[in-house]
Amino acid sequence: MPTDTAQEKIVIFELNGEEYGLEVSRVQSIERMLPLTRVPGAPRPDIAGVMNLRGKITPVIDLRLCLGVEAAPYDKQTRILVVLGNDGAVGFIVDRANDLLDITETEIEGIPAGREDETYGLFQGVINRDPRIITLLETDKVLQ
């Protein structure tokens, strides 16, 4: 973890018009939407399927479903963030990947009141870059 003055880069992406962030050190690549193969009996309801990523079968999670955001059809802006987990690469489907941003630990604020639903533990905190509000994901908890 960075110190108070250490900077960390995050990848900014969108779901339903809201901005979220992931540590760039966890993101291996950002891919356009690829064909997915459904997995009957998948262990999680938010698993959209698996994709063939340069010869490797990679599970893909629809972050809208994971975070309780209403489902939406994929379009030309849809991206898959390929994230390194403990068991290998996993894809996260997002509406679009927008930006990279340098942040410091001191910019990360707690989750605002009223967000204590079943997804509450999936967030690390919030960054307020007026007018932007960026919610940071706790990558390892999303992958559990």
Side-chain angles (χ1 to χ4, degrees), residues 50-123:
V50 295
M51 66 180 174
N52 183 343
L53 182 65
R54 292 180 272 286
K56 289 195 170 195
I57 301 301
T58 305
V60 179
I61 295 172
D62 189 326
L63 274 189
R64 278 180 168 262
L65 300 177
C66 179
L67 300 179
V69 177
E70 185 177 331
Y74 306 137
D75 62 25
K76 291 179 179 178
Q77 298 297 316
T78 303
R79 295 291 182 265
I80 299 174
L81 304 180
V82 180
V83 176
L84 185 58
N86 291 332
D87 297 325
V90 176
F92 288 167
I93 298 173
V94 301
D95 292 353
R96 57 192 42 85
N98 297 340
D99 202 358
L100 290 176
L101 189 67
D102 290 314
I103 63 166
T104 62
E105 182 74 20
T106 57
E107 289 184 277
I108 302 172
E109 302 174 17
I111 301 297
R115 189 98 191 233
E116 293 94 11
D117 59 16
E118 67 274 357
T119 64
Y120 180 77
L122 302 178
F123 303 108

